Amino acid sequence: MLSEPRSGRLAAWGNALWAGLVSPDDAALAIVGEDTVHRVEGLPGESAPVGLTLALGRLRALGATGLRLALPAPGHPLGLSGPPEFNARALEAGEAVVCHGAALGLVPEVYEAGPEGDVHAEVVWRVLPVREAPPADVPSLGEAERELAEALREATEVLSRLNVAGSGPVAEAAIDAYRARAERGREVLAPGYPPRAVRVLELAQRVGLLVSLASDHGHGGAVSASEMAARGAALRPVERTARRAHVAAYNAFVEERERGTR
């Protein structure tokens, strides 16, 4: 997972907006990012798609007090609580936002347009009912941080043993280069998030990049079917740990407030 999920941006900056830490215009600008436009469809009380600013205001009026991220994958409904229709749409998109305090969720539908070399993305957020229940398999920040540190050590050891590109000095250089690019012009999370959440998210991105490098760039000595299977088996739990940590970091704003620490 190399880029910030759109649902993460919506959750983080929506939370900051509702906490009074950013203006509506600044929140909308951060959520849209490099996309062309975002619209919200299916919002209760609205017969047509609306802009982000109006949608966030309406969700607040409907009782939403916070926004959580979900990053489901096949066999792992991370951050979801149902019902099946919402879970299916979120799984297809690979991400979603779940409102805390209102039984509503949002799933992004991305449409690309434009000629080659000048493709732009337009996003429609589909609002659907959700079940009010604890989200699936979301760890605390402390748990996520401990799991990530262990996953990073284990993945590096296993991949080095398998002689897989994506471990060792080349991987470290690629990770450092990626982080340097990412830090330019980017704020991690949004105002109001605890420093530990920022730290967990940065480590999760680092682990996610290691998984991507090992998966996508070269095979090293892992050329046989058994070696490829061993690499996949080594990477799956690491990728799962990184996704869980992403969700824990983005959801920390709501979780801390629920515990009364904010």
Side-chain angles (χ1 to χ4, degrees):
M1 184 173 298
L2 307 185
S3 60
E4 186 176 28
R6 290 179 172 89
S7 295
R9 294 202 305 267
L10 177 57
W13 287 90
N15 286 330
L17 171 63
W18 288 350
L21 299 174
V22 296
S23 71
D25 287 345
D26 286 344
L29 187 64
I31 294 167
V32 171
E34 297 181 357
D35 299 330
T36 302
V37 65
H38 284 214
R39 296 184 178 88
V40 181
E41 187 169 318
L43 195 64
E46 298 291 339
S47 59
V50 301
L52 278 172
T53 301
L54 177 58
L56 287 168
R58 179 57 59 84
L59 288 171
R60 188 70 182 274
L62 290 168
T65 58
L67 298 170
R68 288 188 171 113
L69 170 66
L71 290 177
H76 189 206
L78 176 61
L80 300 176
S81 59
E85 180 185 357
F86 181 79
N87 285 7
R89 285 180 177 264
L91 180 60
E92 183 178 0
E95 60 179 286
V97 173
V98 179
C99 295
H100 178 72
L104 295 170
L106 301 91
V107 179
E109 298 176 357
V110 182
Y111 303 92
E112 293 186 343
E116 185 176 353
D118 189 27
V119 176
H120 61 272
E122 299 181 359
V123 179
V124 175
W125 292 93
R126 191 78 56 187
V127 180
L128 296 164
V130 300
R131 182 178 298 134
E132 293 186 276
D137 198 35
V138 178
S140 68
L141 278 176
E143 291 169 339
E145 194 168 30
R146 290 191 295 272
E147 290 173 2
L148 279 170
E150 182 65 23
L152 185 58
R153 288 193 297 270
E154 290 181 356
T156 301
E157 177 184 342
V158 170
L159 295 176
S160 295
R161 187 168 65 246
L162 293 173
N163 191 25
V164 173
S167 58
V170 173
E172 289 298 314
I175 290 171
D176 289 342
Y178 167 76
R179 293 182 68 188
R181 291 196 305 273
E183 288 304 315
R184 290 197 296 269
R186 178 176 78 91
E187 183 172 4
V188 178
L189 291 172
Y193 272 80
R196 191 175 198 178
V198 175
R199 186 168 68 247
V200 167
L201 180 58
E202 289 177 332
L203 183 56
Q205 291 171 336
R206 183 181 181 89
V207 172
L209 180 59
L210 176 61
V211 171
S212 178
L213 288 170
S215 299
D216 300 335
H217 298 287
H219 303 301
V223 293
S224 71
S226 62
E227 287 171 331
M228 292 292 286
R231 178 172 65 174
L235 292 177
R236 277 192 295 274
V238 177
E239 187 275 337
R240 184 186 182 104
T241 297
R243 281 192 299 109
R244 293 179 78 236
H246 270 83
V247 173
Y250 280 102
N251 293 2
F253 197 104
V254 174
E255 302 306 328
E256 286 209 347
R257 189 178 58 213
E258 290 303 299
R259 290 198 304 267
T261 58
R262 171 168 299 283

